[in-house]
Amino acid sequence: MYLPVRRRLRLALLPLALLLTQVALAQSTPTVIGTRAALTTWSDPLEALGTLSADESVTLSTTVTEIVADINFQDGEQVEAGQLLIQLEDGEEQALLRASQALREERRNASNRASQLQDRNLAARADVEDSQSRLRQAEADIQAIEAQLENYQLQAPFSGRVGFRNISVGALVTPGMDLVTLDKLDVMKLDFSVPEVFLGRLSPGLMLNATTAAFPNDIFSGEIATIGTRIDPVTRSVNVRAELDNADGRLRPGMLMEVIVQQRVRDTIVIPEAAIEPSGDRHFVMLIEQGDTTRLARREVVIGERRNGEVEILEGLAADNLIVVHGLQLARDGQEARLIGITDDENGIRELLEADR
């Protein structure tokens, strides 16, 4: 088919125009935003689910059958070690104690008289020894009664917070009856299990963070205290116990917590993931070299772990190296570039772009 000369000329020049456009775009000065490679503490997170328990926990009960005479605590009260919580009726035992104390006084006097008579050679040594033996027996009887009286007083074995009381004054209690719970809550135990393949990465003192649905915006920090001595043959996991500080008392026994163990803690170079330019199985970043002009230089890096939009750099960068984090699409090795800003804690990419408008 015959085409006019002008039309054929336009068609012939079209590829050349496209080529010139691409060259012009390639030679144009790109606008970039930079960020600095940071040397920071990095770890490989290990996630698990755990359950909280109190540092110390006990359900108090009595060892005798008796009527409650007095209750010296309120529900949920903080009590101190040794504080009297419940007093049972002990009138009969108190009477026996007074009788034994009177008998001891009598036998002490008799022993003293026998000793005085022996000093004057008016009493046999055997009589003195018999009186002293009867005195020791009276003292032993008093100690036995005092030990029995301790069973009529329910004291806090350690400092902690009591739960709901399930009895009232005048109630008859029997041995083994649950009377009140006591929990030591200033430190909490967090028990969880991890697969055995991670056993070599765990050690006492390793830091962890934990969250709970009750306080979704808060992170509770702690450290591993103990690692189990056995691997479960069914689940192939090992039990781990951590300790969390709970000075404010918000955490409670039985809570379910999401645990992130900070394993293999190390100092490494970290950059935003957006600064990485992948090419097959290789990775590159665009360095920003500042001098008389701002020029770009493509550099290959070796990456490690990734997390939350960040990536670990094993080789290829040093701390404080300035790299392109925005504008990589038009950035080319060796080009001059216009740097409109460097991201930091106060200014992100969006803020720098809005400030450049």
Side-chain angles (χ1 to χ4, degrees):
M1 185 176 72
Y2 176 75
L3 293 175
V5 174
R6 287 186 179 179
R7 187 173 180 183
R8 281 184 291 171
L9 184 59
R10 285 199 300 267
L11 290 176
L13 292 177
L14 182 58
L16 179 60
L18 292 175
L19 179 60
L20 292 175
T21 301
Q22 292 175 355
V23 171
L25 288 174
Q27 293 178 346
S28 63
T29 301
T31 299
V32 298
I33 294 176
T35 189
R36 294 198 179 275
L39 179 64
T40 186
T41 301
W42 184 274
S43 64
D44 301 334
L46 174 61
E47 299 182 358
L49 291 177
T51 302
L52 282 177
S53 60
D55 186 34
E56 300 287 351
S57 181
V58 67
T59 299
L60 300 176
S61 60
T62 183
T63 59
V64 298
T65 300
E66 196 49 80
I67 295 175
V68 176
D70 193 16
I71 298 177
N72 298 316
F73 68 90
Q74 299 294 328
D75 293 349
E77 181 182 351
Q78 179 72 26
V79 299
E80 300 300 324
Q83 179 177 331
L84 178 63
L85 302 180
I86 298 175
Q87 175 68 55
L88 303 180
E89 292 286 355
D90 60 355
E92 183 177 350
E93 284 69 23
Q94 291 288 354
L96 291 175
L97 177 62
R98 290 192 294 271
S100 296
Q101 290 171 338
L103 180 61
R104 179 184 61 181
E105 189 65 24
E106 178 185 341
R107 291 182 177 178
R108 179 182 291 118
N109 293 335
S111 177
N112 291 336
R113 287 194 299 269
S115 297
Q116 292 173 0
L117 290 174
Q118 185 190 26
D119 292 340
R120 291 182 291 175
N121 294 324
L122 298 177
R125 181 175 181 81
D127 293 338
V128 175
E129 291 176 350
D130 289 344
S131 63
Q132 291 177 344
S133 178
R134 287 192 292 271
L135 175 60
R136 288 193 295 269
Q137 181 181 2
E139 291 175 343
D141 291 340
I142 290 176
Q143 292 175 357
I145 295 174
E146 289 175 342
Q148 291 178 358
L149 282 171
E150 291 181 359
N151 295 329
Y152 291 78
Q153 294 182 344
L154 202 62
Q155 298 178 343
F158 51 82
S159 299
R161 190 172 298 278
V162 294
F164 298 118
R165 61 184 178 94
N166 300 320
I167 55 170
S168 300
V169 173
L172 179 67
V173 297
T174 58
M177 179 184 294
D178 295 344
L179 302 182
V180 64
T181 60
L182 177 63
D183 295 305
K184 185 175 181 292
L185 302 176
D186 56 339
V187 175
M188 300 296 291
K189 296 175 181 177
L190 178 60
D191 295 330
F192 57 96
S193 60
V194 299
E196 65 171 314
V197 296
F198 297 108
L199 181 60
R201 301 182 181 181
L202 300 178
S203 62
L206 206 59
M207 300 302 296
L208 58 84
N209 295 325
T211 58
T212 176
F215 308 103
N217 298 323
D218 296 328
I219 298 177
F220 299 89
S221 299
E223 64 180 35
I224 293 178
T226 309
I227 300 173
T229 58
R230 298 182 180 181
I231 303 295
D232 190 312
V234 177
T235 62
R236 297 300 175 187
S237 60
V238 60
N239 292 326
V240 181
R241 171 167 289 177
E243 292 183 352
L244 304 180
D245 181 68
N246 189 37
D248 54 9
R250 290 187 296 169
L251 300 178
R252 301 297 175 88
M255 274 185 171
L256 178 68
M257 302 201 78
E258 297 181 8
V259 185
I260 300 179
V261 180
Q262 308 299 333
Q263 57 175 344
R264 294 177 57 202
V265 180
R266 57 202 183 273
D267 290 333
T268 189
I269 302 296
V270 177
I271 65 173
E273 198 170 17
I276 293 292
E277 186 180 6
S279 178
D281 59 353
R282 303 166 67 188
H283 299 84
F284 297 87
V285 296
M286 196 68 73
L287 280 175
I288 301 175
E289 299 175 343
Q290 292 180 302
D292 295 336
T293 60
T294 299
R295 192 168 294 277
L296 305 179
R298 195 167 187 245
R299 177 176 294 182
E300 184 175 2
V301 294
V302 178
I303 68 171
E305 301 292 332
R306 299 173 185 253
R307 71 175 186 195
N308 300 328
E310 295 180 324
V311 60
E312 176 188 19
I313 301 299
L314 303 179
E315 297 178 12
L317 284 180
D320 290 331
N321 279 167
L322 187 60
I323 59 175
V324 175
V325 70
H326 179 79
L328 279 174
Q329 296 84 353
L330 299 179
R332 299 292 183 269
D333 184 27
Q335 274 187 317
E336 290 187 11
R338 186 172 72 91
L339 179 64
I340 65 174
I342 301 174
T343 61
D344 54 28
D345 294 336
E346 297 180 356
N347 298 307
I349 294 176
R350 177 178 296 181
E351 289 77 12
L352 292 174
L353 289 173
E354 290 178 351
D356 189 57
R357 288 179 181 176

